[in-house]
Amino acid sequence: LDIFNCIMEEESLADNPFTLNPIPSRHGTRANFQKKINNIDHPDNIALAKELRAVIDEYPDRFLIGEAVGSLESTKNLLGDPQKQDGLNLVFQFDMIFFDFKADFFRQMIQTFEQHFQAPLMPTIVFGNHDNYRSMRRIKDDMNKAKLLTLFQMTARGVPVVYYGEEIGMTNTSIPKKDALDPISRVFKNLPQFIRNLIPIPVNRDECRTPMQWNDQKNAGFSTNDATPWLPIENHQARNVETQLADEQSLLHVYKDVLALRNAHQAFRKGKIELIPASSLPKNVLGYIRTYEQEQYYIFINYNEKAKQLSLKALEKASSIYRINTTDRLKGNRLELSALGGMVLKVK
C-alpha cells in the first residue's frame, strides 16, 4: 500500500506551512518548501488501516504491508493495537536503506527494532526500494559485501523484503537529467547534474528502476531485442539471472541457500533474537542468537576486510550449518572468519 500514511489529509485541505527545505528530508516530512503536517500522519490513516485489516483477515494467507514515511514511532502506529493486531500486518522500515557497512550500525538497528517492534509485532528488513539508490551503491559494487547483507537480512529478526534485482547485485543506471522520465526529476530540472550526483537520494528515480536483468541479451531478456524499453539497461552482461544460476558462488545462489535455511528452521522466522555483546567479539564483527523452542542458532558476520578469530564457550556444542566462504571454520570453541566472512552455527 503506497505512501499509506499520506492517504488521508486535513479535511479543510489547508496548505502546509512553509519551510526552507527544497529537497526531501530523510523521512519525507519536509520537501518542496513544505512542512507536511496536513497530509502526512493524519489520524484517519490508522482508522483506515484497521478497516482494511478487518477485510483482509477474511482471506487466508493474505497480508497487508504499508509504505510509510516518518519516524519508527509514527509508522508503527499503522500496525494498530499490538495485542489486538488490528492494523496493517507490516510496515516498511526504511532506516536500513541508509546503512553503514559496519557491525555497530547493524547492532544498533537490532536494538532499535527490538525496542519498537516487540512480539507479536515484527519489523521489516529492507535495503532498497523504488525511491532510493540501489544498495550496491553503498558498498561500492562489492558482491562479497552484498552476500553479507543477504545473510543478515535472512537471519535477523524481521521480515526480509528484497527489491527486485538485489538478488543479482543490480546496479544503478546513469541517466542524464535531459533523458529523465521520472516526474520528480522534472520538479528539480534546474538542479545541476553534479549536485544531483552528490545528493544521497536519487532526484531521478529512473536510475534505480531499470528493467530486471534475466540474461545477457540486448534487452536483458526483459523485452525482445528489437524493442525499446521504457528505461535503458546497463551492466546486464555481468549481472543477470541466467549467468548467476550457472555459478554456485554467485550472489543469487547465496540468496537461494540462505532462503532455504530460513524456510527450514522456524527460529529464523519466529524466534527471539539476542545480541552477543560487542565486548566478546573482535572489532567490526556482529554476532547474535536466534532461539525458538528447542532450536538455537548463532550467527556471526565479519564486516572487516581481514580475517578475524573469536572464542566462545557456547560454541563447543555448536556445528556449522552454513558459511559464506569455504575458509570460514569452527574448531572446538574457536571460530575463524575469513575477510567478509559469515557463518550460521546450530547449537546441539
Side-chain angles (χ1 to χ4, degrees):
L1 301 171
D2 198 29
I3 54 170
F4 189 83
N5 63 336
C6 302
I7 291 178
M8 297 298 189
E9 302 184 12
E10 178 63 32
E11 188 175 5
S12 67
L13 300 181
D15 289 344
N16 286 320
F18 176 80
T19 178
L20 292 174
N21 295 76
I23 297 171
S25 62
R26 180 163 173 173
H27 290 305
T29 53
R30 294 171 184 264
N32 302 336
F33 299 104
Q34 298 178 46
K35 184 178 180 182
K36 299 189 174 184
I37 62 172
N38 291 325
N39 62 334
I40 290 183
D41 289 337
H42 193 282
D44 285 353
N45 289 310
I46 300 174
L48 176 60
K50 293 181 178 182
E51 182 179 350
L52 293 176
R53 178 64 177 267
V55 174
I56 208 72
D57 280 349
E58 298 177 10
Y59 298 87
D61 302 321
R62 302 294 191 272
F63 72 98
L64 296 169
I65 182 167
E67 180 198 32
V69 296
S71 66
L72 287 179
E73 195 60 45
S74 66
T75 56
K76 186 177 77 170
N77 289 336
L78 298 172
L79 299 175
D81 186 311
Q83 301 309 315
K84 294 180 180 178
Q85 298 187 56
D86 57 353
L88 302 182
N89 300 82
L90 297 168
V91 177
F92 285 125
Q93 284 79 53
F94 294 131
D95 299 70
M96 286 198 191
I97 285 180
F98 304 98
F99 65 85
D100 293 324
F101 192 78
K102 298 177 181 178
D104 284 346
F105 173 87
F106 292 99
R107 185 179 293 111
Q108 180 60 53
M109 286 310 308
I110 289 174
Q111 292 173 332
T112 299
F113 282 0
E114 286 304 288
Q115 176 185 346
H116 287 86
F117 299 94
Q118 296 179 3
L121 300 182
M122 185 76 77
T124 56
I125 302 178
V126 184
F127 291 131
N129 75 346
H130 61 288
D131 290 327
N132 288 279
Y133 286 118
R134 288 186 170 275
S135 56
M136 294 302 292
R137 185 178 191 257
R138 299 191 72 82
I139 52 176
K140 298 181 179 178
D141 207 25
D142 189 319
M143 294 289 268
N144 291 318
K145 291 181 178 180
K147 292 177 180 179
L148 294 193
L149 292 179
T150 307
L151 180 59
F152 176 88
Q153 187 178 37
M154 300 301 167
T155 61
R157 181 177 176 269
V159 176
V161 183
V162 179
Y163 184 50
Y164 82 96
E166 281 183 331
E167 66 271 56
I168 59 170
M170 273 181 62
T171 55
N172 300 288
T173 299
S174 298
I175 301 176
K177 70 174 183 176
K178 65 180 179 62
D179 298 325
L181 300 172
D182 180 10
I184 296 295
S185 181
R186 298 176 186 181
V187 171
F188 299 101
K189 63 183 179 181
N190 295 323
L191 200 64
Q193 187 67 49
F194 78 94
I195 295 180
R196 288 169 168 244
N197 295 340
L198 295 174
I199 296 172
I201 57 175
V203 174
N204 177 16
R205 298 171 300 175
D206 295 343
E207 296 182 338
C208 67
R209 296 177 172 185
T210 54
M212 180 64 187
Q213 297 167 189
W214 298 103
N215 59 38
D216 63 359
Q217 298 299 307
K218 179 183 176 183
N219 286 325
F222 183 86
S223 303
T224 57
N225 289 340
D226 60 348
T228 301
W230 174 251
L231 295 174
I233 301 171
E234 292 180 359
N235 202 25
H236 59 288
Q237 287 85 8
R239 304 284 168 88
N240 66 76
V241 173
E242 187 175 79
T243 299
Q244 292 197 26
L245 280 175
D247 178 7
E248 292 187 357
Q249 303 304 313
S250 69
L251 176 61
L252 180 56
H253 271 277
V254 170
Y255 268 89
K256 291 169 70 70
D257 292 343
V258 184
L259 272 171
L261 190 73
R262 179 183 177 87
N263 288 333
H265 304 288
Q266 294 193 80
F268 298 121
R269 305 192 307 275
K270 301 179 180 179
K272 297 178 181 179
I273 189 168
E274 176 187 353
L275 280 166
I276 297 173
S279 57
S280 301
L281 301 171
K283 186 176 181 180
N284 215 20
V285 171
L286 176 67
Y288 49 93
I289 307 166
R290 298 302 309 275
T291 305
Y292 181 76
E293 295 182 347
Q294 303 305 311
E295 295 182 9
Q296 189 169 75
Y297 301 89
Y298 280 65
I299 298 93
F300 295 95
I301 302 175
N302 179 19
Y303 292 88
N304 297 280
E305 298 194 28
K306 293 182 179 180
K308 296 292 178 180
Q309 297 182 350
L310 61 98
S311 296
L312 289 175
K313 185 173 179 58
L315 299 185
E316 293 176 353
K317 298 181 179 180
S319 59
S320 171
I321 60 171
Y322 182 77
R323 54 186 179 176
I324 291 290
N325 298 314
T326 56
T327 51
D328 296 336
R329 56 175 56 90
L330 177 66
K331 297 179 179 178
N333 69 343
R334 188 175 184 83
L335 182 64
E336 298 177 2
L337 292 172
S338 59
L340 300 176
M343 286 188 72
V344 179
L345 308 170
K346 181 178 182 179
V347 177
K348 300 174 184 177

